[in-house]
Structure formats: structure tokens, C-alpha cells
Amino acid sequence: MSPSLLLLGTNPVYTLLPALTLGLDVQHQTYEDLLAKKRLSFKSDVLHVMFFFPYAFWDSRCEVEGSDVVYGVDRSVYHLFRRFWGRVEKVIAQSYPDKRIEFVIDPKMAYVDRDKILTHDLLKQAGVVVTETITDRTVDGVLRNVSAARGVFIKSRYGAEGKGITRARLNEWTTNYDVKRHRPANHGNGEQWPFADITGDRAFLRDLLGRDVIVEREILCVKKPGIGKFDVRVHVVGGKVAHLFVRHAGAKDVVTNFSQGGGVEHAYASVLTPAQIASAIAMSESAAKALNSQFIGIDCMFDREDPDQAIVVEAQCLCDFPKPEACNLGAVLARHIIASQGKKEEK
């Protein structure tokens, strides 16, 4: 019997259409309908469940337009998100007591990557190469790690999409928070978060460092002809890399995120060396295993001190899909579900 697959999210068309084409017993449901306990009918005794980002919940409860809660540095918002996934897991179990549930993304891990410090520590414990962090939270202590050659990044602990980023270099401090009376504030939802000069604004740094942030030694990006700053997004499905691509921005840009104006190069071999590709694959597969996810996006960078060693800088279980013409990731996921169920039935 074809595997049954429940897709939870707003509009997971990149997975729904390939799953239907490959013959899966697949249905789509919003989180709102799931939590209202609207049960769907599935044929198989095994129900695979794939999560997509819960935008409606996030926008109404976590990142509310016009809120004065500073983005990405409020632990209470993270706990709201964590409790949401506990409810989702509980309702799925209650709604389908007759099914064996197989989660593509473990609901106990779906929120973990929203905590950059927890993610960093879990990956480091698993032997994954990660950024070097700075524990000092005083302005002078952080600035002691700034030299003429290398600065520091102060990132919102619970942020994503390149928002809530501050970089301090020698005589050059910049942030993409809105700055109001020497304190961090939000730009609008759905907007790009432009960087502003805050050089010398110790009051801003002091306020920011008193919040929930992670401080990291800056990675000096390896130079590539015709490309400024870049990182590599790696998609891992079923423990194996399915696709990778390069995200890039200008040499003077602070972040490479597409949501903040970065570019994309899917012909990654035109940018990366074979050694860099191999390292990105190895680190990403190890990171996926450490975070117990059958589907995950891993971001890697390369530092000039060790240009062939991939450094994992981010992990996202609930990541965006590339366009199918670049990589039909939904089809890769559907085939993985078919193969994984087949292996279990053989046993």
C-alpha cells in the first residue's frame, strides 16, 4: 500500500504535487484545522507527517506587527513557539490513535533551531564544526575581541531570516535593528531590515548585550572571483544531502540571506572547490543527525584561516524550498518516505 502523508502548513505545493504524482496517499491541512481536531482519512496504517512553517501562528502570536517586543531576543516568545509544537504533537496522537505516526521532522526538535545557542551547543557536542562564541556580555569584553582584521557578530538568539544582526568591527559598528533612543527596535514584518551605522553607540550595545543574544567571532569569508560574501545552504533529506546552493551578497554586505536581498547560485561547483563541497556535505549530514531531522536546511561558511573546512552557522528544519527547476526537493522527500516505509515493511 502507498504510504500516507499529512502535510501541515499553509500551501506546501512543492511537496503536494510530487507526492501525488508518485502515488502517495497525501493530504494537506492547516495547523488551525488540525488543532480544531478535524481528522482526515488515510488509507495506510502508517501516517507520515511533514511540517511546514506555521506562519499564521507565528504572525499572530510570536512576531506581531506593531508589537514593541524586540524581535528575536525575548525568551517568552520562544516558549510560545515551543508550546505550540507540543500541542501539535499531542493533537496528532489524539486524532490518529489507530496510526503509527512517523514524523519527518521531530516535533520535539522543530523549535530547537530557533534557539541559536542551544543549536550551537548540540552541534558542537556532536563534533560538528561551528562558530567560535564569546561568553562575555559587557561592552568592553566584547570589543576586546575586535581587531583590525576581524570583528564580532551579535545575533538575536531566537531570530531568523537575517534579522536582528549587529556587527562590530574596528571603528565600524552596524545593526539591522531599527534604532530608537539608543535601543533596538523592529522594522516591519515582511520588510527588508536595512543596516544602519551605530559606530560608537555604547548605549545601544550595552542594551543589546543585556538581552538574549549570541556573540560570535566573525567569519572572514573566503574570497571568490566575482563574488563578495557568501554562504552555502545545504538541504539534507533522510540523512543524505539532496541539494546545495550558494547564497551571496556584496563584499561590504553583512548578511547573505535572500530575504535581505542576497543572490543565489545553484551551480555551486562554479564557486566551491571539491574540498569545500565535500566538507559542506559531511558537516551538514552530521548536523542533520545531531538534530534528529529527516529534513533540514544547513548553512555553512568558509573562513580564510582554514578555507576548505565548512563551518555550520545555522540550521533550519522549517526551511524554504528551492524552485523545482533548481531541485525538486518535494520529489526527493516523497521518494525518501516511500523508501523508508519499504525498508520498515521488509523488517
Side-chain angles (χ1 to χ4, degrees):
M1 181 179 293
S2 296
S4 292
L5 173 62
L6 171 59
L7 303 177
L8 283 168
T10 304
N11 188 26
V13 64
Y14 286 168
T15 302
L16 180 62
L17 293 179
L20 287 169
T21 300
L22 290 167
L24 273 73
D25 171 34
V26 57
Q27 296 194 62
H28 160 232
Q29 188 176 45
T30 65
Y31 289 100
E32 293 69 35
D33 283 348
L34 171 79
L35 294 175
K37 300 186 178 179
K38 295 182 180 179
R39 177 187 162 104
L40 302 176
S41 178
F42 291 97
K43 299 173 184 177
S44 175
D45 292 336
V46 181
L47 178 59
H48 299 264
V49 180
M50 174 63 182
F51 299 132
F52 295 85
F53 195 84
Y55 287 103
F57 175 83
W58 183 265
D59 292 342
S60 64
R61 301 292 303 280
C62 298
E63 191 179 354
V64 182
E65 186 70 50
S67 171
D68 59 1
V69 176
V70 178
Y71 173 84
V73 293
D74 192 306
R75 191 168 183 82
S76 65
V77 172
Y78 174 72
H79 282 310
L80 274 176
F81 198 52
R82 178 175 180 170
R83 288 195 294 271
F84 169 81
W85 289 108
R87 288 172 55 213
V88 166
E89 182 178 17
K90 182 178 179 180
V91 171
I92 290 173
Q94 291 173 341
S95 300
Y96 302 99
D98 55 328
K99 307 291 185 184
R100 189 178 85 234
I101 307 299
E102 297 282 350
F103 291 110
V104 178
I105 299 169
D106 184 347
K108 292 183 176 62
M109 298 298 290
Y111 56 85
V112 165
D113 59 59
R114 276 278 166 169
D115 182 339
K116 287 182 170 60
I117 292 178
L118 176 58
T119 302
H120 176 279
D121 292 348
L122 288 172
L123 294 177
K124 186 175 182 179
Q125 289 166 14
V128 177
V129 178
V130 291
T131 55
E132 182 181 329
T133 57
I134 298 160
T135 57
D136 199 317
R137 289 294 182 272
T138 65
V139 173
D140 287 337
V142 168
L143 293 179
R144 274 195 290 271
N145 290 275
V146 175
S147 68
R150 191 184 299 266
V152 298
F153 271 78
I154 306 169
K155 299 179 181 179
S156 56
R157 179 172 179 172
Y158 311 112
E161 298 180 323
K163 298 190 294 188
I165 304 292
T166 301
R167 184 182 68 188
R169 287 177 169 174
L170 199 64
N171 301 319
E172 182 192 336
W173 306 355
T174 185
T175 186
N176 68 359
Y177 276 115
D178 194 10
V179 181
K180 294 184 177 179
R181 297 181 180 179
H182 306 283
R183 301 181 69 181
N186 303 328
H187 293 287
N189 291 9
E191 298 178 5
Q192 288 190 10
W193 283 38
F195 280 86
D197 180 44
I198 56 164
T199 303
D201 193 342
R202 293 175 65 90
F204 177 89
L205 282 191
R206 187 177 301 109
D207 182 281
L208 182 61
L209 290 167
R211 300 175 185 265
D212 246 343
V213 295
I214 180 171
V215 185
E216 299 174 327
R217 181 173 181 254
E218 181 181 12
I219 295 174
L220 295 180
C221 187
V222 172
K223 293 182 178 179
K224 297 285 184 177
I227 287 183
K229 185 172 185 176
F230 75 94
D231 66 9
V232 183
R233 164 58 62 88
V234 186
H235 285 109
V236 183
V237 180
K240 297 295 181 183
V241 168
H243 181 60
L244 60 155
F245 60 90
V246 174
R247 305 185 304 184
H248 57 84
K252 293 184 179 180
D253 289 327
V254 182
V255 297
T256 60
N257 302 70
F258 183 76
S259 59
Q260 302 303 321
V264 172
E265 177 55 70
H266 287 280
Y268 58 86
S270 66
V271 179
L272 305 176
T273 67
Q276 288 170 340
I277 294 169
S279 183
I281 289 172
M283 287 296 101
S284 298
E285 290 179 351
S286 295
K289 183 178 180 181
L291 297 177
N292 191 33
S293 184
Q294 295 299 301
F295 181 92
I296 196 168
I298 305 294
D299 295 340
C300 301
M301 292 186 71
F302 299 90
D303 190 273
R304 295 172 199 171
E305 288 184 351
D306 192 357
D308 289 334
Q309 175 61 61
I311 303 169
V312 173
V313 294
E314 298 279 354
Q316 280 191 329
C317 292
L318 305 170
C319 60
D320 292 335
F321 279 45
K323 292 183 178 180
E325 54 265 33
C327 174
N328 195 337
L329 202 58
V332 176
L333 177 59
R335 291 191 186 100
H336 165 66
I337 290 169
I338 293 169
S340 64
Q341 180 155 322
K343 290 178 182 177
K344 287 180 180 177
E345 288 175 351
E346 287 177 4
K347 293 180 180 179

